[in-house]
């Protein structure tokens, strides 16, 4: 007896499922190797963009939007939250810094909750539109992961940033889709941040963080959509 998905899912869906697997790997690694976990999250973001390209070229399936949101919960909700919570647990203990320790667990948990909420709303209302309301979960995860790889964003700032991004994911702020040429530029910078080590890797991680923050803050108002 063949699996139910045979003949019902396409190549784009396979890429999406791979994205979910990367999310699990990132969450697992986050407790022992934060830079590697951050790289895996960024790789999942590349896969998230790739499945859209494949769907446009080869066609999608009715299950595609649902699989995409489910995979994004793992890769851009749970995995970044685990990364931030692990960094916080390494920096503070319940005995020495109880308030910071609690915030280091609570805000990432809120981040997951808001990512799930945002992705559910996106699937229901925005998946066929050229813009979306609320900060995309992929963008939020990219900012957090690039911050880890850039090497100068400490645990307190990361925890605070996860709380800010959690709130932004469920706002009414409208974000237009990136133009293909801009997505390619982001993808190249992201790929180099993943592949390179040492100082070069930190430089490209900072460049990715700069580009992502620029889109976060300026995109809703100034990004050209014509």
């Amino acid at each position: 007896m063949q699996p139910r998905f045979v003949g019902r899912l396409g190549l784009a869906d396979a890429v999406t499922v791979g994205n979910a697997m990367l999310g699990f790997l990132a969450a697992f690694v986050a407790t022992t190797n934060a830079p590697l976990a951050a790289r895996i999250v960024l790789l999942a973001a590349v896969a998230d963009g790739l499945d859209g390209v494949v769907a446009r070229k080869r066609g999608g399936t009715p299950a595609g939007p649902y699989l995409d949101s489910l995979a994004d919960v793992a890769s851009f909700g749970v995995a970044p939250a685990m990364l931030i919570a692990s960094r916080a647990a390494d920096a503070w203990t319940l005995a020495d810094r109880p308030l910071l320790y609690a915030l280091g667990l609570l805000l990432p948990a809120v981040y997951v909750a808001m990512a799930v909420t945002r992705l559910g709303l996106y699937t229901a209302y925005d998946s066929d539109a050229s813009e979306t309301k609320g900060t995309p979960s992929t963008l939020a995860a990219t900012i957090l992961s690039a911050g880890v790889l850039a090497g100068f964003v400490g645990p307190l700032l990361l925890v605070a940033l996860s709380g800010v991004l959690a709130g932004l994911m469920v706002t009414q702020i409208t974000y237009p889709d990136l133009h293909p040429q801009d997505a390619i530029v982001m993808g190249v910078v992201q790929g180099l941040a993943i592949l390179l080590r040492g100082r070069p890797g930190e430089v490209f991680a900072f460049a990715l963080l700069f580009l992502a923050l620029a889109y976060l803050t300026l995109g809703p108002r100034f990004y050209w959509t014509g």
Side-chain angles (χ1 to χ4, degrees):
M1 182 185 301
Q2 66 182 13
R4 188 182 180 195
F5 59 77
V6 175
R8 294 190 175 191
L9 301 183
L11 180 59
D13 300 322
V15 176
T16 300
V17 172
N19 172 15
M21 294 172 64
L22 290 171
F24 164 75
L25 291 174
F28 179 78
V29 172
T31 57
T32 56
N33 191 328
L36 179 57
R39 287 185 171 89
I40 296 174
V41 170
L42 294 181
L43 184 59
V46 173
D48 185 57
L50 182 61
D51 67 9
V53 174
V54 174
R56 287 189 291 272
K57 296 291 186 181
R58 299 285 298 272
T61 67
Y66 301 97
L67 291 174
D68 188 63
S69 288
L70 289 169
D72 287 357
V73 168
S75 297
F76 313 126
V78 175
M82 281 293 296
L83 178 60
I84 303 308
S86 297
R87 291 293 301 272
D90 288 340
W92 312 308
T93 66
L94 182 60
D96 296 336
R97 298 288 184 88
L99 178 59
L100 290 177
Y101 184 85
L103 286 175
L105 294 178
L106 177 61
L107 289 182
V110 172
Y111 175 92
V112 173
M114 295 303 99
V116 170
T117 302
R118 190 228 179 261
L119 288 163
L121 292 171
Y122 174 83
T123 304
Y125 301 110
D126 300 338
S127 59
D128 293 327
S130 59
E131 58 186 24
T132 182
K133 289 185 178 180
T135 298
S137 58
T138 310
L139 177 63
T142 296
I143 290 170
L144 293 171
S145 299
V148 170
L149 288 179
F152 64 88
V153 181
L156 183 59
L157 182 55
L158 283 171
V159 169
L161 192 55
S162 70
V164 171
L165 291 169
L168 288 174
M169 281 193 284
V170 292
T171 62
Q172 296 281 357
I173 300 171
T174 300
Y175 284 83
D177 290 345
L178 284 174
H179 298 308
Q181 64 272 21
D182 297 332
I184 290 172
V185 171
M186 286 281 288
V188 170
V189 174
Q190 195 154 311
L192 291 171
I194 295 169
L195 293 172
L196 297 179
R197 300 293 190 270
R199 185 62 178 171
E202 290 180 358
V203 169
F204 280 101
F206 176 80
L208 178 62
L209 179 62
F210 176 82
L211 291 172
L213 287 173
Y215 180 65
L216 175 74
T217 55
L218 303 178
R221 184 169 182 179
F222 298 107
Y223 191 69
W224 177 63
T225 58

